[in-house]
Amino acid sequence: MARVLFINAGSEGHINPTIGVVQELISRGEEVVYFCNGAYRERIEKTGASVRTFDDQKFIEAFISGGRDYLLERANGLLLTADVVIPVVLEQTRGEHYDYMIHDSMFGCGRLLAGILKLPAISSCTSFAHTKETFDKILEPSSVTPAEIVGRFQSLAAAVSEKYGVEIRSPYEVFYNPAPFTIVYTTREFQTDEEVFDQTYKFVGPSISSRAVQQNFDLAAIKGKNPIYISLGTVFNEAVDFYKLCFEAFGNTEHTIVMSIGNNTLISELGEIPGNFIVKNYVPQTELLPHTKLFITHGGMNSAHEGLYYGVPLVVIPQSADQPMVAGQVVKIGAGLSLQMQGLTASQLREAADRVLSLPSFQKAVAHIGESFRNSGGYRQAVDEIFEFKNRFHVRV
C-alpha cells in the first residue's frame, strides 16, 4: 500500500473527475490524503480519503487579484495563491511520509510542491492538455500584453522561486504544472493538437462516477419526456437575462425544458415561468443526461464530456476559460453547434436547437464520440496508468 498526497484547489470541474479516481485508488489499497477547498470536504470524505482544506476565501481573493483580462494575469493569480496553499500543505504534512503525489494541472501549486517535497508527481488534467509549445500559441505575445503585467509576472515568479526554492522558468510552468506523467480526462480524439503528446500523457477519457451529493429533483417528472436540458455550469451562471431568453425561445413549445440556474440566482428573479419549464437551482446532471435529447451548455469540459458520454448532442454557448476551445472541438467532430452569448436572440437559440434535433448527422457524430468515451476506461483506466507509473518511476512502498 502506498500513501498518496493529492493536491487540488480547483472548483467543481477540477474536483469531480477525481472522485472516481480516489475511490478506485482506495479500493486497490492506496491511502489518500487530499487537500482541497473547504467547500468540497464532504464530497471528498465520502471517497474514503483523509481530507485537509485551504481557506476558500483567501484562495479565491488571491487568484482573482492577479487580474482576468489576459492569460498572463491568470498566471499571476496562480502565483499569488502560493502563499495560501504551500504553507498549509507543508505545515500539515510535516513529519509525514508520502510515496507519490497527484496534483491538479492548474490549481494548487502542484509543480512547486512536488519540487519542494521531492515527490514523484502525476498531473491530473481536467481540461485540454498542453505542452509548452501549444500553450505559447494561446498566450498573448509580449507585444500585446501590457508591460506592467509582464513585469508583475517576472517579479512574482522571482519572489516565489526565492521563497520556496523551486525554479520557475515560464508562465507555462505556473499555469499547467507539468509533471513527469499526466492523466488527461479526455480521449485523443477530442484533444486539441493530439499528435504532439507523447506516452507520458495518458488519455483515459471522461472520469464519470457517483458524486454522492444532495439533490432535490424528481426524475419521475421527466420520465418519457426527453427534455432539453439547459445549464451554464457552476461558475459563470449568474445570467438572468439568458434564462429569460430561454423562456422566450422555448416557452409553451412541445419541448419539456429542464433548466439549472445555480445557487447564486433566485428563481423568483426570473418572473413568470412557462408551464413546460422545470427550473431548479441544482440539477443532478449525470442522472438527468441519460434522459435528455439536447444539452444547451456553457461548454465546460466536464459538462461537454458528460453530455457526449450519454449520447446527447450539444448547443454550446461558451462563457470563459477553455470553453471556446471545447465549443470548437464539439463543432469540429460534428456533435453540436456553437453560439455566442453576446447578441444572442431567442430565435437564434431556438433555430440552433431545432437544427441539432432534426439533422441525423449530429446524432451520428454523438453516437460515435460517446461510444469512444464509454470505451476509454475513465477513472479505472486512470488508476491502471497510475499504478504503471509507480512501476515505471520505481516508486517504493
Side-chain angles (χ1 to χ4, degrees):
M1 179 181 77
R3 198 158 194 245
V4 187
L5 179 61
F6 209 123
I7 310 291
N8 190 352
S11 58
E12 195 97 4
H14 295 258
I15 294 288
N16 284 338
T18 71
I19 299 293
V21 174
V22 174
Q23 289 172 328
E24 187 72 10
L25 283 168
I26 292 170
S27 75
R28 298 196 200 182
E30 306 287 77
E31 180 185 354
V32 179
V33 174
Y34 198 121
F35 280 84
C36 64
N37 289 328
Y40 302 105
R41 171 184 284 278
E42 183 178 357
R43 195 176 308 184
I44 301 298
E45 282 179 337
K46 288 178 178 177
T47 68
S50 173
V51 179
R52 302 172 188 180
T53 60
F54 314 114
D55 186 308
D56 299 45
Q57 194 59 39
K58 286 183 179 179
F59 183 92
I60 293 168
E61 288 174 356
F63 179 54
I64 291 176
S65 69
R68 311 293 287 168
D69 294 333
Y70 295 87
L71 198 56
L72 192 59
E73 285 185 302
R74 298 189 182 205
N76 290 342
L78 291 168
L79 284 169
L80 289 165
T81 68
D83 286 338
V84 178
V85 173
I86 293 175
V88 171
V89 174
L90 297 183
E91 172 65 26
Q92 295 192 35
T93 60
R94 183 176 291 123
E96 297 180 343
H97 169 78
Y98 294 91
D99 297 293
Y100 63 97
M101 70 179 292
I102 304 172
H103 59 75
D104 185 70
S105 64
M106 291 180 66
F107 295 102
C109 306
R111 176 184 167 273
L112 292 172
L113 280 165
I116 295 166
L117 297 171
K118 296 179 170 53
L119 286 174
I122 298 168
S123 177
S124 170
C125 182
T126 58
S127 182
F128 292 118
H130 278 283
T131 64
K132 185 176 185 301
E133 290 69 30
T134 64
F135 176 75
D136 286 345
K137 288 181 185 177
I138 62 173
L139 181 67
E140 300 93 347
S142 56
S143 60
V144 173
T145 307
E148 61 268 24
I149 295 173
V150 176
R152 190 182 191 198
F153 174 81
Q154 292 169 342
S155 62
L156 283 170
V160 172
S161 294
E162 182 177 2
K163 185 171 186 177
Y164 296 109
V166 179
E167 186 180 7
I168 298 172
R169 295 177 292 261
S170 69
Y172 168 69
E173 292 181 337
V174 175
F175 210 96
Y176 278 103
N177 287 272
F181 199 71
T182 302
I183 300 294
V184 190
Y185 302 106
T186 192
T187 59
R188 283 187 176 271
E189 185 176 1
F190 197 66
Q191 167 70 41
T192 58
D193 300 309
E194 65 87 13
E195 70 280 356
V196 306
F197 298 96
D198 62 23
Q199 288 304 305
T200 63
Y201 293 82
K202 297 298 181 180
F203 294 85
V204 302
S207 174
I208 297 174
S209 61
S210 173
R211 293 175 190 164
V213 294
Q214 290 185 340
Q215 62 184 62
N216 179 27
F217 188 86
D218 181 11
L219 287 171
I222 54 93
K223 188 174 182 180
K225 294 183 178 180
N226 300 115
I228 293 174
Y229 171 45
I230 302 171
S231 172
L232 294 181
T234 59
V235 179
F236 304 103
N237 59 14
E238 294 182 58
V240 171
D241 289 344
F242 171 73
Y243 301 135
K244 290 182 177 180
L245 183 142
C246 291
F247 291 164
E248 184 183 348
F250 302 111
N252 303 313
T253 65
E254 72 279 10
H255 304 295
T256 296
I257 311 293
V258 176
M259 189 163 72
S260 175
I261 63 172
N263 292 323
N264 295 321
T265 300
L266 297 175
I267 294 176
S268 59
E269 294 179 62
L270 304 182
E272 185 177 354
I273 298 174
N276 61 322
F277 270 71
I278 300 171
V279 180
K280 298 287 185 179
N281 293 105
Y282 171 80
V283 169
Q285 184 162 290
T286 55
E287 294 183 33
L288 176 66
L289 282 168
H291 307 282
T292 299
K293 64 182 177 183
L294 176 67
F295 185 12
I296 298 174
T297 172
H298 64 305
M301 195 71 154
N302 284 308
S303 287
H305 274 153
E306 289 165 0
L308 298 174
Y309 182 94
Y310 288 110
V312 184
L314 310 177
V315 171
V316 185
I317 308 173
Q319 308 294 294
S320 184
D322 61 353
Q323 294 159 21
M325 294 177 66
V326 174
Q329 288 300 94
V330 169
V331 172
K332 181 180 178 180
I333 65 173
L337 296 175
S338 178
L339 299 172
Q340 296 300 315
M341 181 68 85
Q342 186 174 5
L344 182 65
T345 66
S347 62
Q348 288 172 334
L349 181 57
R350 185 172 59 251
E351 287 166 9
D354 288 344
R355 185 180 174 201
V356 173
L357 287 170
S358 63
L359 293 181
S361 61
F362 290 106
Q363 194 59 57
K364 182 178 180 181
V366 169
H368 173 77
I369 194 70
E371 182 178 18
S372 75
F373 279 2
R374 293 188 295 274
N375 291 337
S376 60
Y379 61 86
R380 292 186 181 90
Q381 183 65 31
V383 175
D384 287 346
E385 300 292 356
I386 290 167
F387 276 64
E388 178 63 24
F389 163 85
K390 288 169 57 177
N391 295 331
R392 189 178 308 159
F393 286 82
H394 308 292
V395 174
R396 303 296 183 189
V397 297

